[in-house]
Amino acid sequence: MSYLQPRSQLRTHAVENQPPPLDHVNAYESDTALKEAVAREGGAWANENLSALGGKVFDPEWMEKANLANRIVPELRRFDRFGQRVDTVEFHPAWHDIIGLAFEHEVHALPWRARRGGSHVARGAAEMLFSQLECGVLCPVDITYGIVPMLRRQPELSQAWEPIMVSKHYDPRPIPSQDKKGITIAFTSTEKQGGSDIRRNSTTAAPAGQSGPGREYLLTGHKWFCSAAGADILFVVAQTEKGPGCFLVPRWLPDGMRNPISLERLKDKLGNKSNASAEIEFEGTHGWLVGEEGRGIPTVMEFMLHTRLGCALIPAGLMRLSLTQAIHHCRHRMAFQKRLVDHALMANVLADLAIESEAATTSMMRIARAFDSAASDERERAFARIAVAVAKYWINKRVVPFVHESLETLGGPGYIEESVMPRVYRESPIHGIWEGPGNVISLDILRAFRKEPLSGEVFFAELEGVRGEDARLDATIDECRALVHDEHMPEIRARYLAERMALALQAAGLIRHAPNFVADAFCMTRLGDRGGRAFGTLPACVDMRSIIDRAYPG
């Protein structure tokens, strides 16, 4: 938090050589790579909305709300004072303000509301910006974004629920959904015995009357992890007679009575503290089937496709926030008669981080454009399907060391809770776990190549468009092709393949769109042998000053 006119002349010393607070900076207007990408990929019509949101990211009032929402964590209320079950979550008012801001800027539903080209790009940019303010609310926000296209497969349920799902009006009142101006969504599939192996789920769903899509069922069982326990609707994977099914489970029933959903406890998580995640139990809980019995996993994959996009956009946003904090600090902190940024080795670290951040931003905006084109272009849909998995895998492998290195540039002050960096550091691992951890994602990529030939065709077409521009990229493309076409390649190589594909995709994007001093530095250090394994190991030939100035104009 920034305080007005703090005293710097103390009894024993003067407080000096401190960077000014990083506030009142527009996170969108100061992000050259993001602005260029939004314009290039078709989202420039949303600039006014993005600039307004960017102005909130480093607004002291909103930064303090983000702090409060994470410091004063949600509380579970299982019973009222008379001993009756209420199973509700109480949040600090700051949480409601922040998620209300996300709804106001349509982070949860822009493509479904705008219905125009570039809307996934615009929403992706908004999510990257919002993640720099607060990440906890993005859990129910992202789920809402992903649920809408999945629910449209069950038209009668979509017609009943979609209008209130995509409303711009956040409504925190714990009342029946039909009386609210807007609702939030949760998703839960994970059980204690299965984890990512959904087919091992033991929660059952039996028809309340007639069976089939859109029909009412009664659910019995448990979920070890419900993503957003304060939500108005839960989407639940449960076993039917024919196998897994996906169910819409409202907190309130059509007659205004509470659906029997028992919140057993809230999770004490490493990060994402503002968001209430819970263990839950169902005992005769009412749910409505989305899709066919036994087809729950294919039904959910449409949802997962979109939420995986969020699970790559958010860590890209965390990279950007960490980079901004690092450069700001180093431009204003003196050490050994020079600003930190003017020390060659520190400039190396900052430039290396900047290259990584721009690579993530560029690739994510290209993938968001593929989501925009997917409805009318089969090739773009195939590209979105494979590329989002590749990006989700790699960006989440890079974000944790990225945030750590950024924190280190701040020294001791970066390790103090009053700095935003500890919260960012705790937040950074989670999206590598959600919607498929590394092994699941890399094996999914391998299966896609082997079972969906179009995925490989369009992915390599994207890379081949820049063949001849950089010999190191050409060699990486050839290496990836050889791995994909090797029918005997063992699964143990799946992570290596995902990593090489991600680097090739990022390099291709930078060669197409970034200045030569960025693209060449990326290729020589990520694809070539001119860089080390840690950040800050760029060769001396790299134009570090230009890279830093591009990343965050002084």
Side-chain angles (χ1 to χ4, degrees):
M1 180 176 180
S2 299
Y3 295 93
L4 182 64
Q5 297 297 328
R7 289 192 300 124
S8 59
Q9 295 295 327
L10 307 185
R11 286 180 300 165
T12 60
H13 64 285
V15 181
E16 56 188 11
N17 193 25
Q18 301 300 313
L22 177 53
D23 55 25
H24 299 299
V25 172
N26 191 301
Y28 182 60
E29 300 296 341
S30 61
D31 191 341
T32 303
L34 181 59
K35 283 197 71 177
E36 290 178 353
V38 168
R40 180 174 63 245
E41 308 297 357
W45 55 265
N47 273 343
E48 184 177 347
N49 181 53
L50 294 172
S51 184
L53 177 56
K56 304 290 199 310
V57 171
F58 296 114
D59 183 310
E61 179 183 352
W62 284 103
M63 288 192 291
E64 179 60 12
K65 288 181 178 183
N67 174 49
L68 288 170
N70 283 273
R71 187 161 53 84
I72 306 173
V73 298
E75 293 185 9
L76 174 61
R77 291 285 180 265
R78 300 178 68 194
F79 300 91
D80 68 7
R81 65 193 181 97
F82 301 108
Q84 301 169 109
R85 291 296 296 250
V86 291
D87 293 288
T88 191
V89 179
E90 295 179 357
F91 294 89
H92 188 276
W95 161 273
H96 297 300
D97 290 341
I98 294 170
I99 195 170
L101 183 69
F103 273 53
E104 176 188 339
H105 288 279
E106 303 178 272
V107 186
H108 67 308
L110 183 58
W112 322 129
R113 290 176 55 86
R115 299 180 182 180
R116 61 180 293 182
S119 56
H120 287 278
V121 171
R123 195 209 76 90
E127 182 153 51
M128 283 188 62
L129 293 169
F130 209 97
S131 65
Q132 298 174 57
L133 174 63
E134 209 284 316
C135 286
V137 303
L138 290 177
C139 177
V141 162
D142 250 24
I143 291 170
T144 303
Y145 163 69
I147 283 294
V148 170
M150 184 191 83
L151 191 60
R152 287 177 176 176
R153 296 188 171 192
Q154 200 62 52
E156 68 274 27
L157 293 180
S158 178
Q159 185 177 3
W161 289 102
E162 183 176 329
I164 197 170
M165 287 182 177
V166 303
S167 169
K168 286 184 67 174
H169 303 287
Y170 170 69
D171 191 337
R173 295 176 296 168
I175 60 175
S177 296
Q178 55 266 32
D179 298 327
K180 299 186 71 168
K181 298 176 181 178
I183 59 173
T184 56
I185 315 297
F187 177 80
T188 180
S189 62
T190 305
E191 296 182 3
K192 297 171 184 174
Q193 75 284 351
S196 298
D197 188 357
I198 295 176
R199 294 189 183 278
R200 294 193 63 186
N201 283 4
S202 63
T203 298
T204 59
Q210 289 185 316
S211 63
R215 299 289 186 176
E216 184 179 0
Y217 286 66
L218 298 178
L219 280 64
T220 302
H222 82 283
K223 293 295 174 184
W224 188 82
F225 199 99
C226 177
S227 53
D232 298 287
I233 294 178
L234 285 63
F235 280 82
V236 180
V237 177
Q239 295 285 359
T240 70
E241 287 187 352
K242 297 180 181 179
C246 179
F247 295 87
L248 184 157
V249 179
R251 190 173 292 277
W252 297 84
L253 298 173
D255 62 4
M257 300 298 291
R258 291 179 184 269
N259 204 357
I261 302 170
S262 299
L263 304 184
E264 296 301 298
R265 65 170 178 164
L266 299 186
K267 298 292 191 180
D268 185 7
K269 297 171 294 185
L270 169 66
N272 208 249
K273 294 286 190 178
S274 68
N275 175 41
S277 303
E279 294 181 28
I280 59 178
E281 290 194 357
F282 306 115
E283 298 175 83
T285 305
H286 300 259
W288 281 260
L289 179 62
V290 180
E292 300 282 347
E293 284 192 9
R295 298 289 296 167
I297 294 176
T299 298
V300 166
M301 285 310 297
E302 182 67 24
F303 159 76
M304 295 276 285
L305 175 66
H306 288 79
T307 51
R308 279 182 177 177
L309 181 62
C311 284
L313 287 163
I314 294 171
L318 294 178
M319 285 183 174
R320 175 63 196 180
L321 171 61
S322 302
L323 175 65
T324 303
Q325 293 283 348
I327 295 177
H328 174 81
H329 179 87
C330 292
R331 278 185 175 152
H332 292 91
R333 178 78 165 178
M334 300 287 293
F336 307 108
Q337 291 79 51
K338 291 195 295 187
R339 296 183 307 163
L340 286 175
V341 73
D342 294 326
H343 287 273
L345 195 53
M346 182 61 80
N348 196 319
V349 172
L350 297 174
D352 212 355
L353 293 170
I355 293 166
E356 192 75 21
S357 178
E358 181 158 353
T361 296
T362 301
S363 62
M364 289 315 305
M365 291 298 99
R366 167 62 185 101
I367 294 168
R369 173 162 64 86
F371 275 73
D372 277 309
S373 304
S376 58
D377 188 330
E378 182 183 1
R379 292 179 64 84
E380 281 292 272
R381 180 170 176 81
F383 178 75
R385 158 82 174 83
I386 192 75
V388 75
V390 169
K392 195 265 187 191
Y393 172 82
W394 184 239
I395 294 173
N396 280 290
K397 293 304 175 193
R398 297 293 278 173
V399 66
V400 176
F402 188 107
V403 175
H404 169 261
E405 196 70 62
S406 300
L407 186 155
E408 189 175 299
T409 66
L410 275 67
Y415 200 69
I416 304 301
E417 284 293 339
E418 290 166 299
S419 158
V420 72
M421 293 306 297
R423 190 176 88 224
V424 177
Y425 189 59
R426 288 192 297 269
E427 196 75 39
S428 59
I430 186 59
H431 298 94
I433 300 171
W434 282 347
E435 315 304 12
N439 286 352
V440 171
I441 289 288
S442 55
L443 290 172
D444 189 30
I445 293 166
L446 185 58
R447 280 191 294 268
F449 274 127
R450 290 176 173 173
K451 294 184 178 181
E452 304 169 18
L454 184 59
S455 294
E457 180 183 331
V458 296
F459 187 85
F460 284 110
E462 183 78 10
L463 304 182
E464 292 289 351
V466 293
R467 181 175 283 278
E469 297 291 333
D470 189 281
R472 295 157 298 204
L473 176 57
D474 293 349
T476 305
I477 296 171
D478 293 339
E479 179 190 18
C480 289
R481 277 194 183 277
L483 289 169
V484 167
H485 292 133
D486 180 2
E487 296 180 358
H488 303 291
M489 188 190 86
E491 288 187 351
I492 200 170
R493 297 279 283 168
R495 279 182 172 235
Y496 179 78
L497 173 63
E499 176 179 325
R500 300 302 288 173
M501 288 173 62
L503 290 171
L505 183 63
Q506 290 184 339
L510 292 178
I511 288 171
R512 278 191 174 95
H513 306 300
N516 288 339
F517 56 78
V518 174
D520 193 50
F522 183 92
C523 290
M524 75 170 65
T525 55
R526 274 66 170 176
L527 304 181
D529 57 1
R530 303 283 304 274
R533 297 181 183 274
F535 290 108
T537 56
L538 299 174
C541 62
V542 170
D543 187 352
M544 301 173 198
R545 178 63 54 203
S546 293
I547 292 171
I548 295 169
D549 289 343
R550 171 175 169 79
Y552 186 41

